[in-house]
C-alpha cells in the first residue's frame, strides 16, 4: 500500500492519478482493515478536498479526509510573484481540522477559507505583506488553461516528444469524464479538473522527463474534457433560456 493511496467510492484497488505504481483503495478494503483492527473509522490527509474535509461511509465504517492547507500552494501575499511549486493567492479550497471528544465520540469539523486563514496567520505570526492583500473580495481567478500552463512551467521538463497510444487516451478521457460529470455544480467541476492537473504533476516534480511529458499530455486531455462538458452545460443553459423566453411570449399573447 502506497503512502499516497487515496480512497475511492467503489470496491477494490484501482490505479491512481498520482502516478505509476500508486493505487486507490475501495471502501470494502477500508472496511476489512477497520474490522480486523477493531476500529470504526479512519481520519487521513494528504489529499486536497474542496471544503477542507469529506467522508465516505460503507456499512457503518467511514474514511474521513481532512486537508488543513487552505488555498493549497497559494502564496501568503496576494501581490507576490509565485515561487516554484506555488500559485497566486486566492480561494482555491478551504482548510479544515477535526475535533474529537473522546468521552462521547462526538466529531466536529471546522473549515476556513484561504483569506480567513491568511488573516489569522498574520495575526498569530505578525507577518506583513506590501499592498492590500487583506481587503475583502477575491482576486481574479486564473483559467484552467493558464493554471495548467503555470504548472507545466514549474516542472522544467526537457522531453516533449512523448506520445500516448489511442487506447490510453480513450481510457483516460473516460476516467476524467466520469469524475467531472458527477460533480454537483460548475464550481465543483472546475475544482476537480484543477485537482486532476495537480495530481498529475505533483508526484512527478522530480520524475523522469518521459513521465513528466506523459503527465502533461494527460493534463491537456483533462482540459479538453473539461471544456467539452462546460460547453454542454452552457448549451443546455442557453436552450433553457430560449424555451423560457418562448413560454413568456406565449403567456403574454394569451393574456
Amino acid at each position: 500500500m502506497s503512502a499516497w493511496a487515496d480512497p475511492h467510492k467503489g470496491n477494490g484497488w484501482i490505479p491512481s492519478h498520482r502516478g505509476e505504481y500508486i493505487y486507490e483503495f475501495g471502501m470494502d478494503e477500508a472496511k476489512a482493515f477497520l474490522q480486523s483492527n477493531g476500529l470504526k473509522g479512519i481520519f487521513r490527509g494528504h489529499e486536497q478536498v474542496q471544503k477542507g474535509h469529506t467522508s465516505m461511509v460503507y456499512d457503518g465504517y467511514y474514511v474521513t479526509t481532512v486537508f488543513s492547507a487552505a488555498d493549497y500552494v497559494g502564496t501568503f501575499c496576494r501581490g507576490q510573484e509565485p515561487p516554484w511549486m506555488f500559485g497566486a493567492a486566492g480561494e482555491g479550497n478551504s482548510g479544515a481540522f477535526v475535533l474529537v471528544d473522546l468521552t462521547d465520540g462526538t466529531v466536529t469539523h471546522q473549515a476556513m477559507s484561504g483569506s480567513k486563514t491568511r488573516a489569522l496567520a498574520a495575526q498569530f505570526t505578525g507577518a506583513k505583506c506590501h499592498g492590500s492583500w487583506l481587503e475583502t473580495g477575491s482576486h481574479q481567478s486564473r483559467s484552467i488553461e493558464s493554471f495548467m500552463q503555470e504548472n507545466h512551467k514549474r516542472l522544467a521538463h526537457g522531453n516533449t516528444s512523448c506520445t500516448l497510444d489511442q487506447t490510453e487516451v480513450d481510457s483516460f478521457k473516460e476516467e476524467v469524464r466520469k469524475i467531472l460529470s458527477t460533480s454537483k455544480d460548475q464550481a465543483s467541476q472546475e475544482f476537480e479538473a484543477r485537482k486532476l492537473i495537480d495530481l498529475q504533476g505533483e508526484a512527478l516534480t522530480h520524475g523522469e522527463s518521459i513521465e513528466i511529458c506523459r503527465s502533461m499530455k494527460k493534463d491537456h486531455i483533462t482540459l479538453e474534457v473539461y471544456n467539452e462538458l462546460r460547453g454542454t452545460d452552457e448549451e443546455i443553459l442557453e436552450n433553457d433560456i430560449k424555451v423560457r423566453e418562448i413560454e413568456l411570449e406565449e403567456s403574454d399573447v394569451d393574456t
Side-chain angles (χ1 to χ4, degrees):
M1 180 175 175
S2 166
W4 267 6
D6 300 319
H8 70 91
K9 295 179 181 179
N11 293 328
W13 293 85
I14 63 172
S16 170
H17 291 287
R18 291 188 185 272
E20 196 173 5
Y21 309 123
I22 302 176
Y23 294 85
E24 297 179 357
F25 60 90
M27 288 303 294
D28 58 333
E29 299 290 345
K31 176 185 174 182
F33 169 81
L34 291 167
Q35 279 185 326
S36 65
N37 288 278
L39 303 171
K40 292 295 291 182
I42 297 171
F43 289 97
R44 42 86 61 177
H46 213 315
E47 182 185 6
Q48 184 185 8
V49 289
Q50 188 173 17
K51 295 183 178 180
H53 62 90
T54 186
S55 295
M56 298 182 188
V57 182
Y58 183 83
D59 288 347
Y61 295 87
Y62 63 88
V63 175
T64 296
T65 298
V66 183
F67 194 76
S68 58
D71 190 28
Y72 183 48
V73 303
T75 54
F76 183 65
C77 301
R78 286 194 184 279
Q80 179 179 340
E81 179 67 23
W84 178 79
M85 279 296 290
F86 285 83
E91 301 293 345
N93 64 278
S94 295
F97 61 90
V98 174
L99 297 175
V100 180
D101 190 329
L102 299 180
T103 60
D104 60 10
T106 302
V107 177
T108 304
H109 302 89
Q110 297 287 341
M112 289 189 295
S113 66
S115 57
K116 185 174 182 179
T117 301
R118 288 185 182 89
L120 288 175
Q123 181 180 354
F124 180 75
T125 64
K128 295 181 179 179
C129 295
H130 297 291
S132 55
W133 62 275
L134 280 177
E135 288 184 357
T136 58
S138 60
H139 76 305
Q140 185 176 2
S141 178
R142 293 170 294 166
S143 68
I144 293 287
E145 187 169 6
S146 62
F147 173 77
M148 181 186 71
Q149 290 171 349
E150 288 179 19
N151 274 15
H152 289 182
K153 287 180 182 178
R154 295 187 200 105
L155 289 174
H157 63 94
N159 187 342
T160 59
S161 60
C162 65
T163 58
L164 304 176
D165 63 57
Q166 194 58 47
T167 300
E168 189 173 7
V169 169
D170 293 341
S171 176
F172 188 73
K173 271 188 178 182
E174 187 59 32
E175 289 179 37
V176 174
R177 188 172 287 108
K178 181 178 180 181
I179 292 171
L180 300 188
S181 62
T182 55
S183 300
K184 62 182 181 180
D185 52 38
Q186 180 66 35
S188 298
Q189 191 175 81
E190 180 175 337
F191 176 83
E192 291 299 330
R194 289 173 184 264
K195 181 178 175 181
L196 282 170
I197 292 171
D198 264 345
L199 292 180
Q200 285 294 318
E202 68 177 8
L204 296 175
T205 303
H206 300 291
E208 297 292 333
S209 60
I210 186 67
E211 294 175 342
I212 294 174
C213 178
R214 287 170 54 80
S215 170
M216 293 168 65
K217 296 288 186 184
K218 290 183 177 180
D219 286 347
H220 283 284
I221 293 174
T222 298
L223 177 63
E224 179 185 342
V225 174
Y226 171 78
N227 285 333
E228 286 177 0
L229 292 175
R230 184 179 61 176
T232 301
D233 291 341
E234 289 175 350
E235 288 170 8
I236 292 173
L237 179 60
E238 287 177 2
N239 288 335
D240 287 344
I241 292 172
K242 289 179 181 178
V243 170
R244 183 57 180 155
E245 288 175 346
I246 293 172
E247 289 176 347
L248 289 173
E249 288 174 1
E250 293 176 347
S251 176
D252 291 340
V253 171
D254 292 338
T255 56

